[in-house]
Amino acid sequence: NPGALADSAGAGEWDVGLIGAEPARAAIIGFSAPYAEIEATYLVRPGVPFHTAAQVDTEGVRVASSRRSAYTLWLEDNLRAAQLVQTEEPGAEGSWDLFQDRELEALAGLRSFLTGKAAELPGSRLLDDRFTSIQQAIGTPRGDAAACDAAVAFLDSFVADAKSSGLVANLLAKHGVEGKLSVAL
């Protein structure tokens, strides 16, 4: 769980983690360059007239989202008119339950998760565009600034090599997540 990973950054529980690089997390985690991108978009309930992610940010619209996810952190900073309704605990399934139980207009999430959920709600629509793209990176807890800077420099070099050698693309293919994730540019 990315939110739990971020929350434990200062507790000495981990040294390196794979996590979405978000400005809200950068105060406690040093990030490498991104190695993959994951699209975040909306699933809208049947009868909701929106066709673009920008249209969702409208007065009176309620958006379900998973607490502490990278895309929720983005929405906290960027939604201006719509109401963000977060789960009590992190987790995409919980946001689906919240969306369904409270009959909210939109569900924010990763495209791959929402694609599966669209089939469970006849008449719902997955929007074609995205509201953000999660920059998946390798993180290390901040603490000793010099050690963190050295670790991030090493991780940046590793990520550059992994992308240029085709390792990241090969792993995406091997694990069947092409189209759900893409190699970061």
Side-chain angles (χ1 to χ4, degrees):
N1 179 299
L5 183 69
D7 289 345
S8 65
E13 296 177 12
W14 57 276
D15 295 314
V16 176
L18 307 178
I19 188 169
E22 286 295 318
R25 295 175 175 161
I28 58 171
I29 300 172
F31 292 106
S32 71
Y35 61 87
E37 290 184 342
I38 311 167
E39 283 191 3
T41 189
Y42 298 108
L43 177 71
V44 294
R45 185 167 295 291
V48 171
F50 305 130
H51 296 280
T52 68
Q55 292 173 326
V56 172
D57 193 10
T58 301
E59 192 69 37
V61 172
R62 299 163 303 154
V63 178
S65 196
S66 173
R67 181 172 303 281
R68 305 285 294 132
S69 66
Y71 54 86
T72 299
L73 295 174
W74 188 93
L75 290 169
E76 287 174 348
D77 289 341
N78 291 279
L79 279 182
R80 299 291 175 242
Q83 177 188 0
L84 185 61
V85 183
Q86 297 184 44
T87 58
E88 289 295 319
E89 297 295 325
E93 279 298 331
S95 66
W96 168 253
D97 294 342
L98 182 65
F99 172 68
Q100 288 289 74
D101 295 347
R102 296 193 38 196
E103 297 184 5
L104 304 180
E105 290 77 21
L107 171 61
L110 302 179
R111 182 173 298 282
S112 56
F113 174 75
L114 297 178
T115 298
K117 291 303 181 185
E120 296 180 32
L121 183 59
S124 65
R125 283 181 299 105
L126 185 62
L127 300 185
D128 289 334
D129 64 346
R130 62 185 185 203
F131 59 82
T132 193
S133 180
I134 310 308
Q135 302 296 304
Q136 197 69 15
I138 304 174
T140 188
R142 294 199 183 275
D144 178 322
C148 182
D149 290 346
V152 168
F154 171 79
L155 294 171
D156 278 341
S157 177
F158 173 80
V159 167
D161 289 346
K163 289 179 357 183
S164 67
S165 71
L167 176 63
V168 174
N170 291 339
L171 288 171
L172 295 179
K174 176 182 176 182
H175 294 285
V177 293
E178 292 172 305
K180 296 177 182 178
L181 287 85
S182 59
V183 178
L185 301 176

